Amino acid sequence: MFPFSAIVGLDDLRLALLLNAVSPGIGGVLVRGEKGTAKSTMVRALAALLPPVTTVVGCRFGCDPAAPDAVCPDGPHDPGAPAATAAARLVELPVGATEDRVVGALDLQRALTEGVRAYEPGLLAAAHRGVLYVDEVNLLPDHLVDLLLDAAAMGRSYVERDGVSVRHAARFLLVGTMNPEEGELRPQLLDRFGLTVDVAAPRQPSARAEVVRRRLAYEAAPEEFAGRWDTDEAALAGHIAAARERLPGVLLPDAELTRIATVCAAFDVDGLRADIVVARTAVALAAWHGRPRVIEADVRDAARLALPHRRRRDPFDAPGLDEGQLDKAMEEARAAVEAEHGPDGPDDDPPPGRRDTDADTPDDDRAAADHAAADSRADDSGPDRDAPQPTAQAPDEEPAAASDPAPANATPRDGGPDGRDERRPSGIGESLQRPDEKTFKTKLLAVPGTGTGARAGRRSAAWTRSGRVVGARTPRGRVTSVHLPATLTSAAASGRRRPLADDLRESVHKGREANLVLFVVDASGSMAASRRMRAVKGAVLSLLRDAYQRRDKVGLITFRGTGAELVLPPTTSHEIAAVRTRDLRTGGRTPLADALLLTARTVRTHGLRDPHRRALVVLVTDGRHTMGADPATVAPILRGTATVVVDCESGPVRLGLAARLAVTLDAEHLPVSELSAELLRDTRIGRAA
């Protein structure tokens, strides 16, 4: 495995992972960044630095002999039970994992046929007291994300299924990595991660060359390369263990609590989780740097890591933290602290046995603080000490590099000529929606019929693995949800006192699935009136937000001038779709027939790649066509594809062309004025009255 100490750069990510290793109660790390930036390499390397764990021999749930879980399914454990020591585990949760693989599975066939209660632990149990790593966490189904985040927050996993209840400890360091281009997590799930870090590759040729140099050296002789860093790895592991021991004795003064509350209030974050995470992170920072109490610098660094993903007010707001806003919040906090506690702060007593000044710090603490300062630099040892500091890559990753080197406890450097931090993706901290593009809650648009539910979501009806039970059937594979009444009825009909395997019936669930929502937007001259186009963009943004909330894949086709263009191929990145809609150019002729042809090709191509995801076409137009073939002649190619025509025609004289087009397409016709769910609700209430 590539050494953690050899991965230089990515200083914020390094610090965030180490702080969680010191204090797992922080809540884990979400790592956002482009592909090939050594996100996975660094996470996998962290496990080798964690202190070993002692477990009860034979316990499948990794109970600590000194404090065994009182409700462990393999317990109760005797005080003198034999123990074994092993390295902390790194458990990877694949995107395609099933719910029973995550939380564990009950062997229902044995339970019903043999009358025994058999339970097989899942990945959450395996990760207990270790690291749970989820690569591409934004692609993980929502119900699995809910399960692992709830377990991470409560430190316990609950399995409630078919009348059997099992619970076990599940305390782990949760790390998720994601590429924002492939879609975002829901805001409420973002908030469950303690810290977040954005990573990007440097653009300096010297740094990129050093990345390749180190990776090639590792591939040529992995053991020899790793051996160069053994001393640094051992020192870093020892520093983590020492910081864990110091953690309980670190003092969080009332002045710093006031500072934390003021900063979080300044960013208008929801709830109090942000305050708690910032406080825990600040305490971990003080322990990491060998200080007996939290200081203002700890609060600032903690806020920089804990608040970026909590300042989002809209799904299309890019996560990030403006350094100027943070500086202003810290100034306000400083004034609040001085007003409440005076310029010198309160007289908080340091923890017993600890002194309050660096001059009085014990020698071991001072040495630990010096070592922490050295660790926070990009690299301080090894043959490449003076080389540029890039990100090294593991053998199974494509060559790439990490963010520019900087001390882990330093504030980001000044950006380019426009003052923007060049390491941060463009647009962070800025809303993707213009003030004049008003959005609203839209009417639910769904695909007719019932799908297979292969893509969990919240739009169209589908047969799913969870949801409302609507019937029973003979099992198709492993049984995960037994329909008890149907099972007992089958056994009774056969005259058996106890059900056999042939009598088992599984539940049939009906829920909702996600779809491909393909937006086809008329951007021609007939739609180009500024006020009218603002309304159209607002409607499309409203539909995009709805697609985001329902976990759909989206695509965008525009038509104007001489033809139609696939502006955004089907993707889960709703933010990119919002940007493309915001920057939509208008004017020119109206090639509506070309748009229909391109729509049909896109739906057909996507169907070959993802045959289980049904498509919904949303055509936003006034129905006019001034170029190309007659849309009526090409409309049949879209028959069989669920389509909604959003009619944008306005003015005192209306031709009704969009309504005629909807009839030709066998599509639902929806005037843009009726797209709002609130308007439809108010209309129904008015009619009922």
Side-chain angles (χ1 to χ4, degrees):
M1 180 178 295
F2 202 95
F4 187 91
S5 301
I7 304 174
V8 295
L10 295 180
D11 304 293
D12 281 348
L13 176 55
R14 177 193 302 272
L15 181 61
L17 290 174
L18 292 174
L19 292 178
N20 272 273
V22 172
S23 177
I26 290 174
V29 185
L30 175 65
V31 189
R32 296 164 40 91
E34 57 196 29
K35 53 185 177 292
T37 50
K39 302 186 297 292
S40 301
T41 302
M42 180 167 277
V43 174
R44 294 188 177 104
L46 177 68
L49 302 178
L50 298 179
V53 295
T54 303
T55 61
V56 176
V57 174
C59 178
R60 298 173 297 167
F61 300 88
C63 281
D64 185 353
D69 185 10
V71 294
C72 176
D74 285 353
H77 300 296
D78 296 330
T85 301
R89 295 189 60 181
L90 172 69
V91 177
E92 297 194 35
L93 174 61
V95 172
T98 60
E99 182 177 341
D100 57 346
R101 184 71 186 96
V102 175
V103 300
L106 294 171
D107 193 335
L108 297 174
Q109 294 184 0
R110 290 188 61 192
L112 291 174
T113 59
E114 302 176 21
V116 297
R117 176 178 171 180
Y119 174 73
E120 179 183 356
L123 296 177
L124 295 182
H128 179 48
R129 303 172 68 193
V131 180
L132 180 63
Y133 172 47
V134 188
D135 193 15
E136 305 295 349
V137 65
N138 52 326
L139 303 182
L140 199 67
D142 287 345
H143 67 286
L144 295 186
V145 177
D146 291 336
L147 287 175
L148 68 93
L149 289 179
D150 285 343
M154 298 184 295
R156 187 167 295 278
S157 176
Y158 294 86
V159 182
E160 302 287 348
R161 186 176 296 164
D162 299 307
V164 180
S165 177
V166 175
R167 63 188 64 187
H168 62 83
R171 293 183 294 274
F172 46 80
L173 168 55
L174 175 64
V175 183
T177 58
M178 58 175 284
N179 184 349
E181 294 179 356
E182 298 174 342
E184 287 285 353
L185 281 173
R186 290 178 294 167
Q188 59 267 41
L189 299 185
L190 280 173
D191 185 61
R192 299 302 293 270
F193 282 94
L195 309 179
T196 186
V197 177
D198 281 274
V199 298
R203 297 297 179 255
Q204 298 86 351
S206 59
R208 301 176 74 92
E210 181 62 21
V211 170
V212 179
R213 186 178 299 114
R214 291 201 177 189
R215 180 182 176 184
L216 293 179
Y218 176 80
E219 290 179 343
E223 294 183 3
E224 179 183 347
F225 182 86
R228 302 179 193 174
W229 305 93
D230 284 345
T231 302
D232 298 270
E233 293 283 279
L236 197 53
H239 191 55
I240 292 174
R244 281 190 176 185
E245 294 180 0
R246 287 192 294 266
L247 185 69
V250 173
L251 176 67
L252 178 60
D254 286 343
E256 301 309 320
L257 273 176
T258 301
R259 195 184 314 276
I260 291 170
T262 305
V263 170
C264 292
F267 280 94
D268 196 24
V269 295
D270 294 330
L272 293 173
R273 183 175 286 120
D275 304 62
I276 296 173
V277 171
V278 172
R280 289 174 175 168
T281 306
V283 171
L285 274 164
W288 176 254
H289 291 297
R291 288 190 288 266
R293 60 169 59 203
V294 173
I295 62 175
E296 180 179 351
D298 297 328
V299 174
R300 190 188 194 285
D301 287 339
R304 185 166 54 83
L305 295 173
L307 297 183
H309 57 306
R310 294 186 167 90
R311 55 156 295 278
R312 302 181 74 181
R313 313 306 301 174
D314 184 270
F316 295 145
D317 285 342
L321 193 68
D322 182 81
E323 291 291 331
Q325 186 179 0
L326 179 57
D327 291 338
K328 182 179 179 181
M330 291 299 296
E331 291 177 3
E332 294 177 357
R334 192 175 299 115
V337 170
E338 293 180 357
E340 183 172 346
H341 303 286
D344 297 327
D347 289 332
D348 288 312
D349 294 330
R354 304 296 300 272
R355 289 181 287 273
D356 190 41
T357 63
D358 290 340
D360 293 333
T361 301
D363 292 340
D364 57 341
D365 288 341
R366 186 184 304 112
D370 294 340
H371 185 76
D375 281 338
S376 67
R377 292 189 290 271
D379 185 27
D380 62 353
S381 62
D384 300 318
R385 181 181 307 164
D386 299 325
Q389 304 299 307
T391 300
Q393 305 297 319
D396 57 347
E397 291 194 15
E398 60 188 63
S403 53
D404 300 339
N409 60 348
T411 57
R413 296 188 295 272
D414 293 336
D418 59 353
R420 175 176 293 157
D421 184 354
E422 294 179 354
R423 296 175 298 168
R424 191 172 61 194
S426 176
I428 281 186
E430 301 172 1
S431 176
L432 298 179
Q433 179 186 323
R434 290 178 177 173
D436 55 358
E437 293 165 358
K438 296 182 179 180
T439 58
F440 46 83
K441 183 178 179 181
T442 66
K443 173 188 177 182
L444 173 61
L445 307 178
V447 179
T450 305
T452 60
R455 306 297 179 186
R458 301 172 58 191
R459 182 170 298 278
S460 304
W463 306 115
T464 60
R465 297 187 61 181
S466 60
R468 182 168 54 92
V469 177
V470 296
R473 67 184 179 192
T474 303
R476 303 175 182 177
R478 184 176 183 178
V479 181
T480 59
S481 179
V482 170
H483 195 286
L484 290 177
T487 299
L488 297 176
T489 299
S490 175
S494 60
R496 286 189 281 266
R497 297 178 58 187
R498 176 177 292 176
L500 298 179
D502 293 341
D503 298 317
L504 286 175
R505 299 293 183 268
E506 66 178 358
S507 300
V508 177
H509 299 269
K510 192 171 185 179
R512 294 200 174 268
E513 65 178 1
N515 302 112
L516 165 64
V517 181
L518 185 60
F519 296 97
V520 185
V521 182
D522 185 349
S524 64
S526 65
M527 303 278 290
S530 59
R531 180 179 302 178
R532 189 173 172 194
M533 201 62 207
R534 284 199 298 269
V536 170
K537 289 184 179 181
V540 174
L541 283 171
S542 300
L543 291 166
L544 274 172
R545 180 180 286 105
D546 182 68
Y548 170 86
Q549 294 169 345
R550 300 185 189 281
R551 317 309 293 164
D552 296 314
K553 182 181 285 188
V554 298
L556 179 63
I557 292 175
T558 63
F559 57 100
R560 60 182 290 270
T562 59
E565 179 184 4
L566 181 60
V567 175
L568 180 69
T571 177
T572 55
S573 181
H574 300 75
E575 285 190 2
I576 297 178
V579 171
R580 301 289 171 84
T581 301
R582 182 195 65 185
D583 296 335
L584 189 65
R585 294 184 299 170
T586 62
R589 307 183 73 181
T590 313
L592 180 54
D594 290 348
L596 298 180
L597 290 171
L598 180 57
T599 299
R601 288 197 300 270
T602 304
V603 170
R604 183 169 60 252
T605 301
H606 181 270
L608 296 175
R609 297 175 179 173
D610 194 352
H612 298 291
R613 189 188 293 268
R614 297 188 293 165
L616 172 65
V617 174
V618 180
L619 176 58
V620 184
T621 182
D622 59 4
R624 292 181 173 86
H625 68 281
T626 59
M627 183 180 178
D630 185 351
T633 62
V634 300
I637 63 175
L638 278 176
R639 285 191 177 272
T641 301
T643 305
V644 177
V645 176
V646 178
D647 189 351
C648 297
E649 188 175 28
S650 62
V653 179
R654 304 192 181 188
L655 303 178
L657 298 178
R660 298 179 196 172
L661 179 63
V663 173
T664 305
L665 293 171
D666 192 21
E668 178 183 357
H669 173 254
L670 185 65
V672 69
S673 60
E674 296 182 7
L675 189 60
S676 168
E678 286 81 0
L679 177 60
L680 291 174
R681 180 195 61 198
D682 294 343
T683 301
R684 293 193 187 98
I685 293 175
R687 290 176 180 174

